[in-house]
Amino acid sequence: MRKQRKWWLVMGAVVVVLFISSSMTYGQQTLIPVLQRLLANQPGRGLLSGIDFTYAGTRISIRHLGYFAFIEFFLRKSAHVAIYFLLGLAGSFGLQKRVTPTWLRAVLTVLACAGVAAFDEFHQLLTGGRSPLFQDVMLDTVAAAVAVGLGLLVTRRRR
């Protein structure tokens, strides 16, 4: 039971981090000044210049965004994936003894993570200079679902 409590604490910490992050404007949160200092020589620019796609109606490429905004885009989306992966994993392990059968725990965990993601994007709507994106909710939900799936595999292997 103590292990489940630890996972509940992880879930709570993730939700707090998400709330604080969503409360910040883009200007408060931007990584571009740091990236300009750390990556002044724009390493990998030639290699990355071939990447060009559309995300939520915005063209994502170095040519369109500039090097530093392009890198920031991937860092931000990586943060989405990492935080919701952790939330999904924590939910999966945190509910292990409380929700059976396993399939129900998996479904509830993914739905809960999707709900948190939707609320997080709604919260961004209320924050100046932020743009809530349905695509981010989908990205977050997929990250949580992958974590839940991996959590189920780990649990099955332990048995």
Side-chain angles (χ1 to χ4, degrees), residues 7-153:
W7 287 113
W8 281 92
L9 289 173
V10 170
M11 284 188 286
V14 167
V15 170
V16 168
V17 166
L18 286 169
F19 184 80
I20 291 169
S21 175
S22 292
S23 299
M24 300 169 81
T25 65
Y26 174 77
Q28 293 171 314
Q29 214 180 51
T30 184
L31 300 171
I32 290 178
V34 174
L35 293 172
Q36 287 172 331
R37 281 193 313 272
L38 294 176
L39 306 174
N41 295 332
Q42 299 184 11
R45 183 183 178 104
L47 183 65
L48 299 172
S49 291
I51 300 172
D52 190 335
F53 63 96
T54 301
Y55 184 86
T58 300
R59 191 167 174 196
I60 307 300
S61 69
I62 288 178
R63 187 174 191 195
H64 185 260
L65 296 175
Y67 178 82
F68 299 107
F70 179 81
I71 299 297
E72 182 186 51
F73 170 82
F74 284 102
L75 290 174
R76 285 177 169 277
K77 297 313 165 193
S78 295
H80 272 268
V81 169
I83 198 91
Y84 280 93
F85 184 92
L86 181 59
L87 187 61
L89 203 60
S92 183
F93 289 136
L95 293 174
Q96 205 166 34
K97 302 285 186 204
R98 296 182 183 267
V99 179
T100 55
T102 302
W103 69 267
L104 180 60
R105 181 176 70 247
V107 169
L108 289 176
T109 302
V110 172
L111 288 176
C113 290
V116 170
F119 178 77
D120 183 50
E121 293 300 314
F122 175 74
H123 188 218
Q124 287 181 31
L125 176 68
L126 306 175
T127 304
R130 298 293 298 272
S131 46
L133 299 172
F134 175 74
Q135 290 82 351
D136 284 351
V137 175
M138 299 310 329
L139 180 67
D140 300 340
T141 302
V142 168
V146 169
V148 168
L150 286 175
L152 292 174
L153 287 174

